[in-house]
Coordinates of all heavy atoms in Angstrom, one line a residue:
Y237 N -1.8 -15.9 2.9 CA -0.6 -16.7 2.7 C -0.7 -18.0 3.3 O -0.3 -19.0 2.8 CB 0.6 -15.9 3.3 CG 1.9 -16.6 3.2 CD1 2.5 -16.8 2.0 CD2 2.5 -17.2 4.3 CE1 3.7 -17.5 1.9 CE2 3.6 -17.9 4.2 CZ 4.3 -18.0 3.0 OH 5.4 -18.8 2.9
H238 N -1.3 -18.1 4.5 CA -1.3 -19.4 5.2 C -2.5 -20.2 4.7 O -2.5 -21.4 5.0 CB -1.4 -19.1 6.8 CG -0.1 -18.6 7.3 ND1 1.0 -19.5 7.4 CD2 0.3 -17.4 7.7 CE1 2.0 -18.8 7.8 NE2 1.6 -17.5 8.0
Q239 N -3.5 -19.6 4.1 CA -4.6 -20.4 3.6 C -4.3 -20.9 2.1 O -4.6 -22.0 1.8 CB -5.8 -19.4 3.5 CG -7.1 -20.2 3.4 CD -8.3 -19.2 3.7 OE1 -8.3 -18.1 3.2 NE2 -9.2 -19.7 4.5
L240 N -3.8 -20.0 1.3 CA -3.6 -20.3 -0.1 C -2.1 -20.8 -0.4 O -1.9 -21.3 -1.5 CB -3.9 -19.1 -1.0 CG -5.3 -18.6 -1.2 CD1 -5.3 -17.5 -2.2 CD2 -6.2 -19.7 -1.6
G241 N -1.2 -20.4 0.5 CA 0.2 -20.7 0.2 C 0.8 -19.6 -0.7 O 1.9 -19.7 -1.2
K242 N 0.0 -18.6 -1.0 CA 0.5 -17.4 -1.8 C -0.3 -16.2 -1.5 O -1.4 -16.3 -0.9 CB 0.5 -17.8 -3.3 CG -0.9 -17.9 -3.8 CD -1.0 -17.8 -5.3 CE -2.5 -17.7 -5.8 NZ -2.7 -17.3 -7.1
V243 N 0.1 -15.1 -2.0 CA -0.7 -13.8 -1.8 C -1.0 -13.2 -3.2 O 0.0 -13.1 -4.0 CB 0.0 -12.8 -0.9 CG1 -0.8 -11.6 -0.6 CG2 0.5 -13.4 0.4
T244 N -2.2 -12.9 -3.5 CA -2.6 -12.4 -4.8 C -2.0 -11.0 -5.0 O -1.7 -10.2 -4.0 CB -4.1 -12.3 -4.9 OG1 -4.6 -11.5 -3.9 CG2 -4.7 -13.6 -4.9
D245 N -1.7 -10.6 -6.3 CA -1.1 -9.3 -6.5 C -2.0 -8.2 -6.1 O -1.6 -7.1 -5.7 CB -0.6 -9.2 -8.0 CG -1.8 -9.4 -9.0 OD1 -2.9 -9.5 -8.6 OD2 -1.5 -9.4 -10.2
S246 N -3.4 -8.4 -6.2 CA -4.3 -7.3 -5.8 C -4.1 -7.0 -4.3 O -4.1 -5.8 -3.9 CB -5.7 -7.7 -6.1 OG -6.0 -8.9 -5.5
L247 N -4.0 -8.0 -3.5 CA -3.9 -7.8 -2.0 C -2.5 -7.1 -1.7 O -2.5 -6.2 -0.8 CB -4.1 -9.1 -1.3 CG -4.2 -9.0 0.2 CD1 -5.2 -8.0 0.7 CD2 -4.5 -10.4 0.9
I248 N -1.5 -7.6 -2.4 CA -0.2 -7.0 -2.2 C -0.3 -5.5 -2.5 O 0.2 -4.6 -1.8 CB 0.9 -7.7 -3.0 CG1 1.1 -9.1 -2.5 CG2 2.2 -6.9 -2.9 CD1 2.1 -9.9 -3.3
L249 N -0.9 -5.2 -3.7 CA -1.0 -3.8 -4.1 C -1.7 -2.9 -3.1 O -1.3 -1.8 -2.8 CB -1.6 -3.7 -5.5 CG -1.7 -2.4 -6.1 CD1 -0.3 -1.8 -6.4 CD2 -2.5 -2.4 -7.4
V250 N -2.9 -3.4 -2.7 CA -3.7 -2.6 -1.7 C -2.8 -2.3 -0.5 O -2.8 -1.2 0.0 CB -5.0 -3.3 -1.3 CG1 -5.7 -2.5 -0.2 CG2 -5.9 -3.3 -2.5
N251 N -2.1 -3.4 0.0 CA -1.3 -3.2 1.2 C -0.2 -2.2 1.0 O 0.0 -1.3 1.8 CB -0.7 -4.6 1.5 CG -1.4 -5.2 2.7 OD1 -1.0 -5.2 3.8 ND2 -2.5 -5.9 2.3
L252 N 0.5 -2.3 -0.2 CA 1.6 -1.3 -0.5 C 1.1 0.1 -0.6 O 1.6 1.0 0.0 CB 2.3 -1.7 -1.7 CG 3.2 -3.0 -1.6 CD1 3.8 -3.3 -3.0 CD2 4.3 -2.9 -0.5
L253 N 0.0 0.3 -1.3 CA -0.5 1.6 -1.5 C -1.0 2.3 -0.2 O -0.8 3.4 0.1 CB -1.7 1.6 -2.6 CG -1.4 1.2 -4.0 CD1 -2.6 1.3 -4.9 CD2 -0.3 2.1 -4.6
Q254 N -1.7 1.5 0.6 CA -2.2 2.0 1.8 C -1.1 2.2 2.9 O -1.1 3.2 3.6 CB -3.3 1.2 2.4 CG -4.5 1.1 1.4 CD -5.8 0.6 2.0 OE1 -5.8 -0.1 3.0 NE2 -6.9 0.9 1.4
A255 N -0.1 1.3 2.9 CA 1.0 1.4 3.8 C 1.8 2.8 3.5 O 2.2 3.5 4.4 CB 2.0 0.3 3.7
F256 N 1.9 3.0 2.2 CA 2.5 4.3 1.8 C 1.8 5.5 2.3 O 2.4 6.4 2.9 CB 2.5 4.3 0.2 CG 3.2 5.6 -0.3 CD1 4.6 5.6 -0.4 CD2 2.4 6.7 -0.7 CE1 5.2 6.8 -0.9 CE2 3.1 7.8 -1.2 CZ 4.4 7.9 -1.3
Y257 N 0.5 5.4 2.2 CA -0.4 6.6 2.8 C -0.2 6.7 4.3 O -0.1 7.8 4.8 CB -1.8 6.3 2.4 CG -2.8 7.4 2.6 CD1 -2.9 8.4 1.7 CD2 -3.5 7.5 3.8 CE1 -3.8 9.5 1.9 CE2 -4.4 8.6 4.0 CZ -4.6 9.5 3.0 OH -5.4 10.6 3.2
I258 N -0.2 5.5 4.9 CA -0.2 5.5 6.4 C 1.2 6.1 6.9 O 1.2 7.0 7.7 CB -0.4 4.1 7.0 CG1 -1.8 3.6 6.7 CG2 -0.1 4.0 8.5 CD1 -2.0 2.1 6.9
F259 N 2.3 5.6 6.3 CA 3.6 6.1 6.7 C 3.8 7.6 6.3 O 4.4 8.3 7.0 CB 4.7 5.2 6.2 CG 4.8 3.9 7.0 CD1 4.6 2.7 6.4 CD2 5.1 4.0 8.4 CE1 4.7 1.5 7.2 CE2 5.2 2.9 9.2 CZ 5.0 1.6 8.6
D260 N 3.2 7.9 5.2 CA 3.3 9.3 4.8 C 2.6 10.2 5.8 O 3.2 11.3 6.2 CB 2.6 9.5 3.4 CG 2.8 10.9 2.9 OD1 3.9 11.3 2.7 OD2 1.8 11.6 2.6
G261 N 1.5 9.8 6.4 CA 0.8 10.5 7.4 C 1.6 10.6 8.7 O 1.8 11.6 9.3
V262 N 2.0 9.4 9.1 CA 2.7 9.3 10.4 C 4.1 10.1 10.4 O 4.5 10.7 11.3 CB 2.9 7.8 10.8 CG1 3.7 7.7 12.1 CG2 1.6 7.1 11.0
L263 N 4.8 10.0 9.2 CA 6.1 10.6 9.1 C 6.0 12.1 8.9 O 6.9 12.8 9.2 CB 6.9 10.0 8.0 CG 7.3 8.5 8.1 CD1 8.0 7.9 6.9 CD2 8.2 8.3 9.4
N264 N 4.8 12.6 8.4 CA 4.7 14.0 8.2 C 3.7 14.6 9.2 O 2.8 15.4 8.9 CB 4.2 14.3 6.8 CG 5.2 14.0 5.7 OD1 6.3 14.6 5.7 ND2 5.0 13.0 4.9
E265 N 3.9 14.2 10.4 CA 3.1 14.6 11.6 C 2.9 16.1 11.7 O 1.9 16.6 12.0 CB 3.8 14.1 12.8 CG 2.9 13.8 14.0 CD 3.7 13.1 15.1 OE1 4.9 12.8 14.8 OE2 3.1 12.9 16.1
N266 N 4.0 16.8 11.4 CA 4.0 18.3 11.4 C 2.9 18.9 10.7 O 2.3 19.9 11.1 CB 5.3 18.8 10.8 CG 6.3 19.3 11.8 OD1 5.8 19.8 12.9 ND2 7.5 19.1 11.6
G267 N 2.5 18.4 9.5 CA 1.5 18.9 8.6 C 0.2 19.0 9.3 O -0.7 19.8 9.0
L268 N 0.0 18.1 10.2 CA -1.4 18.0 10.9 C -1.6 19.2 11.8 O -2.7 19.6 12.0 CB -1.4 16.7 11.7 CG -2.8 16.2 12.1 CD1 -3.4 15.7 10.8 CD2 -2.7 15.1 13.1
L269 N -0.5 19.8 12.2 CA -0.7 20.9 13.2 C -1.4 22.1 12.7 O -1.9 23.0 13.4 CB 0.7 21.4 13.7 CG 1.5 20.3 14.4 CD1 2.8 20.9 15.0 CD2 0.7 19.6 15.6
T270 N -1.5 22.3 11.3 CA -2.2 23.4 10.7 C -3.5 23.0 10.1 O -4.2 23.8 9.5 CB -1.3 24.1 9.7 OG1 -0.8 23.1 8.8 CG2 -0.1 24.8 10.3
M271 N -3.8 21.7 10.2 CA -5.1 21.2 9.6 C -6.3 21.5 10.5 O -6.2 21.5 11.8 CB -5.0 19.8 9.2 CG -4.3 19.6 7.9 SD -4.1 17.9 7.4 CE -5.8 17.4 7.2
I272 N -7.5 21.6 9.9 CA -8.7 21.9 10.6 C -8.9 21.0 11.9 O -9.3 21.5 12.9 CB -10.0 21.7 9.7 CG1 -9.8 22.7 8.5 CG2 -11.3 22.0 10.4 CD1 -11.0 22.6 7.5
D273 N -8.6 19.7 11.7 CA -8.8 18.8 12.8 C -8.1 19.2 14.1 O -8.6 19.1 15.2 CB -8.2 17.4 12.5 CG -8.8 16.8 11.2 OD1 -9.2 17.6 10.4 OD2 -8.9 15.6 11.2
V274 N -6.9 19.8 13.9 CA -6.1 20.2 15.1 C -6.4 21.6 15.5 O -6.6 22.0 16.7 CB -4.6 20.0 14.9 CG1 -3.8 20.7 16.0 CG2 -4.3 18.5 14.9
T275 N -6.6 22.5 14.5 CA -6.7 23.9 14.8 C -8.1 24.3 15.2 O -8.3 25.3 16.0 CB -6.3 24.8 13.6 OG1 -7.2 24.4 12.5 CG2 -4.9 24.6 13.1
T276 N -9.1 23.6 14.7 CA -10.5 24.1 14.9 C -11.4 23.1 15.6 O -12.2 23.5 16.5 CB -11.1 24.4 13.5 OG1 -10.2 25.2 12.8 CG2 -12.4 25.2 13.6
D277 N -11.4 21.8 15.2 CA -12.3 20.8 15.7 C -11.9 20.4 17.2 O -10.8 20.2 17.5 CB -12.3 19.5 14.9 CG -12.8 19.8 13.5 OD1 -13.6 20.8 13.3 OD2 -12.5 19.0 12.5
G278 N -13.0 20.3 18.0 CA -12.8 19.8 19.3 C -12.5 18.3 19.3 O -12.8 17.7 18.2
F279 N -12.0 17.8 20.4 CA -11.8 16.3 20.4 C -13.0 15.7 21.2 O -13.1 15.8 22.4 CB -10.5 16.0 21.0 CG -10.2 14.5 20.9 CD1 -9.7 13.9 19.7 CD2 -10.4 13.6 22.0 CE1 -9.5 12.6 19.6 CE2 -10.1 12.3 21.9 CZ -9.6 11.7 20.7
G280 N -13.9 15.1 20.5 CA -15.1 14.4 21.1 C -15.3 13.1 20.4 O -14.3 12.6 19.8
F281 N -16.5 12.6 20.5 CA -16.7 11.2 19.9 C -16.4 11.2 18.4 O -15.8 10.2 17.9 CB -18.2 10.8 20.1 CG -18.5 9.5 19.5 CD1 -18.0 8.3 19.9 CD2 -19.3 9.5 18.3 CE1 -18.3 7.1 19.3 CE2 -19.6 8.3 17.7 CZ -19.0 7.1 18.2
M282 N -16.8 12.3 17.7 CA -16.6 12.3 16.3 C -15.1 12.0 15.9 O -14.8 11.1 15.1 CB -17.0 13.6 15.6 CG -17.3 13.4 14.2 SD -17.9 15.0 13.4 CE -16.4 16.0 13.4
L283 N -14.2 12.7 16.5 CA -12.8 12.5 16.2 C -12.2 11.2 16.8 O -11.5 10.5 16.2 CB -11.9 13.7 16.6 CG -11.6 14.8 15.6 CD1 -10.6 15.7 16.2 CD2 -11.1 14.2 14.3
S284 N -12.7 11.0 18.1 CA -12.2 9.8 18.8 C -12.6 8.5 18.0 O -11.7 7.7 17.7 CB -12.8 9.8 20.2 OG -12.6 8.7 20.9
F285 N -13.8 8.4 17.7 CA -14.3 7.3 16.9 C -13.7 7.2 15.5 O -13.2 6.2 15.1 CB -15.9 7.3 16.8 CG -16.4 6.3 15.9 CD1 -16.5 5.0 16.3 CD2 -16.8 6.6 14.6 CE1 -17.0 4.0 15.4 CE2 -17.3 5.7 13.7 CZ -17.4 4.3 14.1
G286 N -13.6 8.4 14.9 CA -13.0 8.5 13.6 C -11.6 8.0 13.6 O -11.2 7.1 12.7
D287 N -10.8 8.4 14.5 CA -9.4 8.0 14.6 C -9.2 6.6 15.0 O -8.4 5.9 14.4 CB -8.7 8.9 15.6 CG -8.6 10.4 15.1 OD1 -8.8 10.6 14.0 OD2 -8.3 11.2 16.0
L288 N -9.9 6.2 16.0 CA -9.6 4.9 16.6 C -10.4 3.7 16.0 O -9.9 2.6 16.1 CB -9.9 4.9 18.2 CG -9.2 6.0 18.9 CD1 -9.5 5.9 20.4 CD2 -7.7 6.0 18.7
A289 N -11.6 3.9 15.6 CA -12.4 2.8 15.1 C -12.7 2.9 13.6 O -12.5 2.0 12.8 CB -13.7 2.7 15.8
W290 N -13.1 4.1 13.1 CA -13.5 4.3 11.7 C -12.4 4.0 10.8 O -12.5 3.3 9.8 CB -14.2 5.6 11.6 CG -14.6 5.9 10.2 CD1 -14.0 6.7 9.2 CD2 -15.8 5.4 9.5 NE1 -14.7 6.7 8.1 CE2 -15.8 6.0 8.2 CE3 -16.8 4.6 9.9 CZ2 -16.8 5.7 7.3 CZ3 -17.8 4.3 9.0 CH2 -17.8 4.8 7.7
V291 N -11.3 4.7 11.0 CA -10.1 4.6 10.1 C -9.7 3.2 9.9 O -9.7 2.6 8.8 CB -9.0 5.6 10.5 CG1 -7.7 5.2 9.8 CG2 -9.3 7.0 10.2
P292 N -9.4 2.5 11.0 CA -8.9 1.1 10.8 C -9.9 0.1 10.2 O -9.6 -0.6 9.3 CB -8.5 0.6 12.2 CG -9.1 1.5 13.2 CD -9.3 2.8 12.5

Side-chain angles (χ1 to χ4, degrees):
Y237 176 73
H238 289 287
Q239 198 168 47
L240 291 186
K242 64 164 193 166
V243 184
T244 55
D245 57 8
S246 56
L247 188 52
I248 295 175
L249 182 64
V250 171
N251 261 262
L252 290 177
L253 295 180
Q254 296 194 342
F256 181 81
Y257 190 86
I258 294 166
F259 283 118
D260 185 58
V262 178
L263 295 175
N264 291 298
E265 208 172 354
N266 254 327
L268 202 68
L269 300 184
T270 50
M271 276 178 66
I272 299 178
D273 302 31
V274 169
T275 59
T276 316
D277 294 339
F279 187 77
F281 175 71
M282 199 178 72
L283 266 191
S284 168
F285 171 78
D287 292 343
L288 305 182
W290 179 257
V291 165

